[in-house]
Amino acid sequence: MVQADEDPIPAGRGPGGTGPASFRERFLQGEPVAAGVRPSILDSWQRCRTLGLSPDQSDLPFREDFEPDGRIVRAAAPVLDRLQAKFAGSAMNISVADASGTVLLRRFGEASLARVLPAIQTVPGFVFAEKVAGTNGIGLALAERRPIRVYGAEHFAERSQGSACRALPVRDPLSGRIEGVLCFGYPRSAEDPALDTVIRKAAETIERRLLGQSSSRERALLQAYLDSGAEAAAGLRHRIGVRELAVEMSPRDRAILMEKAAELIAYAQRACVDVPLSDGRRVTLVSRPMTSASGVRGFAVEAVVPDPSPREPLALPRQFHEPLGLSAELAVATSLTFSGAVRDVAPGQLHGTPPAEHLPGTEPGPVAVGAERVTAGGTTDEHSDPPPPPRGLMMVGEPHVGTYALAARRRLELLSEAGVRIGTTLDVRSTARELAESAVPQLADFVTVDLPEAVLRGEESADPRSDLRRTVVHGIHDDCPFHPVGKQVDYGPTMPQSRCLTSGQAVLEPDLKAAAGWFAQDPEHSAQLLSHVHSLIAVPLVARGAVLGVAGFYRAQDSPPFGDDDRSLAQELAARAALSIDNARRYTRERAMVLALQRSLLPHGVPDQDAVEVAHRYLPAESDVGGDWYDVIPLSGSRIGLFVGDVVGHGMLSAATMGRLRTAARSFAELDFPPDEVLTHLDKLVQRLDREDPGAVDAGIIGATCLYAVYDPTTQQCTMARAAHPPPALVRPDGTVWFPDLPAGPPLGLGGLPFEATEVDLPENSRLVLYTDGLIEDRHRDVDVVLDQLRATLAQANGTPDETCEAILDTVAPAHPCDDIALLVARTHALDPQRIATWNLPADPALVSEVRASATRQLTDWGLDEAAFAAELVLSELVTNAIRHGAGPIRVRLLHDRTLICEVSDTSNTAPHLRRAASTDEGGRGLFLVAQLTQSWGTRYTQQGKVIWAECGLEGA
């Protein structure tokens, strides 16, 4: 036997009967052997077992009705004679079988072998098809439809255990059909890799001889045409219009003429067709039946070229049918040069067309061509019209060969069309459906595509056979009982789909009723399916070494079975589709990774605060994920910061840059910088990123727009600044919508230009709508029209911010966004004035005690007596520091929000710093105590000075 690495494995039983030693014996005893046997051999064994074959069977069917002098025999006999001479004196057994596995010819390197071998191996007529003979060279070559080597115990039958063989299908070069099998049989000990070259060259020689048989028929037809023309040559006007026209004819026009000529031959009937050329001229092609002296029947196609001078329209001969309206299916362009029984006649072979009565199969007597009447002798009537237009031979051939040519052209056109149709999207399911739609009905009547769940998610499947799911079912009608889309599909080991996944090659089953293993998996469903289809090609979807799934091409009962050319075409289509599916899979995986990164870098919730009621949405682009982002940041003094931004570009780098930019923006905001200063710091950050990663500039990633708004619920004012970002939409409580005229500012990363902030009043229950340009900018829409739509939507949307987000996405967002969309809607609230206490005092230390007393009374009024102690200490320290180190006047403010906020402001820009005082220091412990007694504290700067603030928790209050 031979393993996957082709190393021979001894066959036979172990010594002393200790157990099976060959994989074949293990298989026959039901033991698993998949790891030690080549897939093609194991598949064949499984089919043999499914068919109920016995390895001890010694007899084979014998056919007496085989054709002893058929095409394959005439082509192969001389080749086998030469091979017999080459292997003279050896134990080589050379045979040729037909496409059904029936042996037609036998040759032996040693003549005595024919006397000592059993008749089954020496007499032509025995059938070696796999379904009756088990695993063998001839049967497996026909089943696999490719070169095969079977060694020793790889044979299923006991009688062949000591032999080895190599077999190769022999194909008709014109049709591509398997005409037979060439097989070398020899003792197992005579194995020689050089036999591969010998058998391949011998098969090629047989195929050339098959082509030569067709060429001789073609030459006979051409000679018959020329002979018939010679009889009347003396009386005809020799004007070779086709040759003259060909000199100035474009390659495209010539290809069209050759295509139409092949169509007329394939039609196998008298006809004519008017062919327009690209320059406005028209050529009429006429097909005539003819028969050679040896009895070869075919058709000749002549071209009738009108003279430039005006004349009456061409009149068809009376024995011709009306011009055929060629169907769109047959009216295909073919530029092939046919070698075989369809010949493109060279210009030197063009002769004047003989009269119709000299063509075999035509009626004798005069024939009307144009307006001239030509008699048998070639003379014209004295009352005749002007001479006929020039005409010449375009092509001769047999109808079935013309059919092959048209089929080949259709296959080329199908591949060309598939190259355009398959892979138009980066979606796995859509690409699989495009494969099915490209193949129906030109190649198959039904197509199924099964992909593993992992591939649909964008991943690679560890074992595609274990998790296949029906992804596409497409056909000429919908009542075929295939498994529905979404159902898990399980193929047994002998099913064609499993075999193709194992071998990586397309598997052709011309007749599913005779396919071994077809009924084994699910007999009931298989029987239902066979009432609709009868032929199958199973093709693995393999790209870049990864198995992505399997496609099944089926033909209905009233369609001809698939052939090898169909299998090659299906495999080519599947290969192209697999590459597109793999691209879509990789894109799906990358998009999922980028989207996961993007979403992980965006806020996962809304922080607890009472300044605004917030809702947000992020909608990725259909084509790719970008760098749009938003953020909601609680600030000191019950204020809230609202960010929305857009990093230029798409993909992983853009998302990562967005994460860095958002982190920096949050940090700058939490330092209580005003909006314009935050944008200035972000601008410097982006410039630094450019310097650190200059390659990112070429990729178009670094660079961003941003809008930052800070809303203060105590004053109901909003301060905003933007860096080349679309302005926000503001909605007043009465429903009035307007877009504030904010200074645009430069994009982040440009540098050198300042940013300006603007303050607007936002009464309670106003709405602030921030968005990125993906919402309003689209190459198919006008921005002003979209802004009007947004204005109308906001005017009508009176619900919650969440409902407003949904309304905007439903009415304003593009149906297929080309860019990311980040949307943030905030409904403003105002802090109750009863929860705000303010005291203004000069810089006098004696007033500190009064402030403490006033604050204690206010806290009692608010019911916060438990927080009074900490608040007194904090206020005492902050006010004292403001008096000692700041500049008056001093303002003290208490805010009763979710926390108790103590603020002390003055007109100095000097900020206090927390430090750890030494044991000998008399001061420096105040801010340390403030930090221990509060949840947080800090400093923010204003145009008038600074504010020192501290937040005290209310848990104990």
Side-chain angles (χ1 to χ4, degrees), residues 838-919:
T838 305
W839 298 276
N840 295 314
L841 60 153
D844 185 355
L847 299 178
V848 175
S849 59
E850 293 183 10
V851 172
R852 288 202 303 267
S854 299
T856 301
R857 289 192 298 270
Q858 184 63 61
L859 294 177
T860 300
D861 293 340
W862 287 342
L864 303 178
D865 292 328
E866 296 293 335
F869 176 74
E872 285 185 49
L873 290 179
V874 169
L875 284 175
S876 179
E877 176 61 27
L878 296 182
V879 172
T880 301
N881 278 344
I883 293 174
R884 288 184 176 180
H885 305 291
I890 298 172
R891 187 184 186 196
V892 178
R893 188 170 71 159
L894 293 180
L895 303 177
H896 180 195
D897 198 6
R898 290 176 178 265
T899 59
L900 178 62
I901 302 173
C902 305
E903 294 183 346
V904 176
S905 58
D906 62 64
T907 57
S908 171
N909 289 326
T910 303
H913 296 282
L914 178 66
R915 67 184 181 91
R916 186 178 294 276
S919 58

Side-chain angles (χ1 to χ4, degrees), residues 4 34-35 37-44 46-47 144 146 463-465 468 491-507 538-542 547 549-550:
V37 182
R38 289 185 290 152
S40 60
I41 299 298
L42 181 58
D43 289 342
S44 180
Q46 290 171 337
R47 293 194 295 270
E144 297 285 335
R146 61 185 179 88
D463 185 7
R465 291 172 293 183
L468 286 173
Y491 294 113
T494 59
M495 297 284 284
Q497 287 84 351
S498 293
R499 288 158 50 200
C500 79
L501 288 173
T502 301
S503 65
Q505 299 294 323
V507 173
V539 189
L541 300 173
V542 183
V547 179
V550 60

Side-chain angles (χ1 to χ4, degrees), residues 32 162 373 407 627 781-782 890 911:
R373 299 184 56 82
R781 304 187 302 171
D782 184 82
I890 298 172

Side-chain angles (χ1 to χ4, degrees), residues 8 105 113 128 160 226 266 378 593 648:
L105 291 173
L113 288 176
F128 280 82
S160 304
L226 296 177
M593 293 172 57
V648 175

